[in-house]
Amino acid sequence: MTLLKSAAEHGFVAVDQLQHDPELEPLHSHADWAKVVARVTDHHAKAKPPPMPLPVLESIDVSRSRRADRDSVIEILGLKVGQPVVRSRHLTKIREKQLRERFNLAYASIGVIAFFAEENVGKAFASVDLVDAEDAQRLNFLPAPTGNMYDPDGLLAQWQEYEDKVMKLVQDGRWNHEAPPSCRVAHCAFGFGHPDVAAYEPRFVAKAPGVRDALLRVLKEEANADRRASVPYVLGYAGTPEQVISWLVPFFRDPHAGVRNNVIRAVLAFQTHLEKPVVDLGTVFDVMAMPHVMDRNKGTYLLEAVLQKLKPEELAARRTEVLQKVGVLLVDMTESRQPINRDPAVSGLKLLSGEGFETSAEWRQWLSRRKL
């Protein structure tokens, strides 16, 4: 409480976070709690610009498990749809451990993603990823790197600096969400249209080709996951789309979910811009079988991108194989209210079926009629 009182006296403005942070709930009964809230509320009212409001939880997705039922998982999770969300890493780790121990799981991960633009602005979506003990082979990742590699020409630090500046612009309400990302390669995260970040891209264009091998060594050997996670973006400036894909695919099974997310995201972007499919469908199936929701949705977007590049006769020849491998998963994903999970699944099923269904019930009925 002493720290909170000090923060309140020194201009802390995030009253929503103060009131909804689960780690602060034990202090709500403290004699000084109401005074602290009142003081922070006063700062909040005077703040220019006003702080961004907390996202409100829209839905909770729980991945398929033979051991854990959805209601019990949500009870342990402790989140409530319709309420503002403050993420607590400490409590998240505790709840993940509770899930693993109660249901004998090989893996449990709780994630919350918030949207700050377009039609889902202000909404948060929670996902609980579970892997049953008997399915532990899904966790067969590359060995965790242990090295301390040098940063080639300081490009990775510059990329992280660029991302930090963009996040600050977003928080301050100075980032134009309507403008499409402007960059010289297929994927550059946010773009470089704002004058505060415009100077970064020319550095990547000029320097990345000369340090390609060093960047790949960082991705393979660097212990720091944040540095590895920057490599796919910078590497995109080092070669042709086909080359970048060939360099990144071997790292689809990086042991860190954030690194995998960026690797798959970059490959997806470059595959989307190519005329022919470069990524093998078997590789896509492997990505979709990985445990984290960001693996699955990026893998599903990648599936859609590959299917779109197939000739009609090629698509027809591979249809049964695709449905046998990932048909049930695609239909499961159509139940999600989180757009980045549901949308690619629906699009992929439409490509495979030629149907225009929208509801999960329709897709489940359609799949059940297929002789697989």
Side-chain angles (χ1 to χ4, degrees):
M1 179 56 72
T2 300
L3 292 175
L4 283 180
K5 290 168 68 175
S6 176
E9 290 303 318
H10 287 84
F12 185 66
V13 300
V15 66
D16 288 347
Q17 182 172 353
L18 180 70
Q19 292 178 306
H20 294 283
D21 189 330
E23 293 194 46
L24 298 181
E25 286 183 6
L27 297 178
H28 289 192
S29 59
H30 193 282
D32 291 328
W33 175 257
K35 295 178 183 178
V36 169
V37 172
R39 186 66 168 155
V40 175
T41 300
D42 184 57
H43 292 317
H44 181 277
K46 297 175 182 177
K48 301 293 183 182
M52 185 176 294
L54 289 176
V56 174
L57 187 62
E58 185 78 6
S59 66
I60 302 172
D61 290 340
V62 179
S63 68
R64 183 184 289 261
S65 167
R66 294 180 293 275
R67 294 174 173 270
D69 65 281
R70 174 182 170 83
D71 290 343
S72 297
V73 169
I74 291 178
E75 181 180 358
I76 292 173
L77 188 61
L79 296 176
K80 295 183 179 180
V81 172
Q83 294 293 317
V85 179
V86 176
R87 180 77 186 272
S88 165
R89 290 189 178 184
H90 173 66
L91 292 179
T92 295
K93 294 299 181 185
I94 291 175
R95 289 162 181 164
E96 288 172 346
K97 182 180 179 182
Q98 289 174 332
L99 288 169
R100 289 194 301 271
E101 292 178 348
R102 177 169 175 179
F103 299 109
N104 188 23
L105 302 173
Y107 176 88
S109 175
I110 300 167
V112 178
I113 183 171
F115 289 81
F116 299 99
E118 301 177 350
E119 68 273 13
N120 291 301
V121 62
K123 296 179 181 179
F125 299 85
S127 299
V128 185
D129 297 309
L130 309 173
V131 176
D132 296 336
E134 58 269 32
D135 297 328
Q137 73 277 1
R138 293 173 59 195
L139 306 174
N140 184 24
F141 297 116
L142 296 171
T146 59
N148 182 16
M149 311 303 293
Y150 85 98
D151 181 352
D153 277 339
L155 293 179
L156 301 180
Q158 290 179 44
W159 185 271
Q160 291 179 340
E161 183 180 284
Y162 153 73
E163 287 193 337
D164 290 343
K165 285 190 176 182
V166 172
M167 289 295 98
K168 184 65 166 60
L169 290 168
V170 170
Q171 292 169 0
D172 292 345
R174 298 168 54 210
W175 187 260
N176 182 7
H177 294 287
E178 302 298 325
S182 58
C183 49
R184 303 185 198 180
V185 293
H187 185 56
C188 60
F190 306 98
F192 298 88
H194 195 283
D196 285 7
V197 297
Y200 286 95
E201 188 173 39
R203 303 172 194 169
F204 303 133
V205 172
K207 295 183 177 182
V211 295
R212 179 203 67 186
D213 291 342
L215 288 168
L216 287 170
R217 282 197 295 272
V218 172
L219 192 53
K220 182 179 181 180
E221 301 177 24
E222 171 61 53
N224 186 311
D226 289 337
R227 294 181 71 189
R228 296 204 311 277
S230 297
V231 171
Y233 295 111
V234 179
L235 196 64
Y237 291 91
T240 67
E242 292 88 349
Q243 288 175 322
V244 175
I245 289 174
S246 69
W247 298 333
L248 289 177
V249 165
F251 298 97
F252 273 1
R253 280 197 168 266
D254 186 279
H256 190 276
V259 179
R260 295 198 304 275
N261 176 69
N262 288 2
V263 168
I264 301 167
R265 180 193 292 269
V267 169
L268 165 63
F270 284 104
Q271 174 62 85
T272 300
H273 282 74
L274 291 172
E275 293 294 326
K276 297 180 180 180
V278 174
V279 183
D280 178 72
L281 276 175
T283 300
V284 177
F285 300 152
D286 183 61
V287 173
M288 294 176 67
M290 288 192 283
H292 199 276
V293 63
M294 302 305 287
D295 301 326
R296 292 193 299 279
N297 61 37
K298 296 298 181 302
T300 307
Y301 275 113
L302 186 56
L303 174 68
E304 178 188 2
V306 171
L307 294 179
Q308 287 175 335
K309 307 300 179 180
L310 293 176
K311 296 177 181 179
E313 60 272 20
E314 294 173 328
L315 178 60
R318 304 297 296 270
R319 180 179 293 115
T320 297
E321 175 193 5
V322 174
L323 291 174
Q324 287 175 337
K325 293 288 187 179
V326 295
V328 172
L329 173 60
L330 289 172
V331 171
D332 284 348
M333 291 176 68
T334 66
E335 295 182 354
S336 175
R337 293 183 62 185
Q338 186 172 162
I340 59 174
N341 293 339
R342 183 181 186 278
D343 292 352
V346 171
S347 296
L349 286 167
K350 287 181 177 180
L351 285 169
L352 290 164
S353 68
E355 302 287 355
F357 304 135
E358 292 293 340
T359 69
S360 59
E362 290 173 317
W363 284 119
R364 204 167 293 283
Q365 289 177 358
W366 174 83
L367 186 63
S368 69
R369 294 195 297 267
R370 302 285 303 181
K371 295 182 179 180
L372 302 176

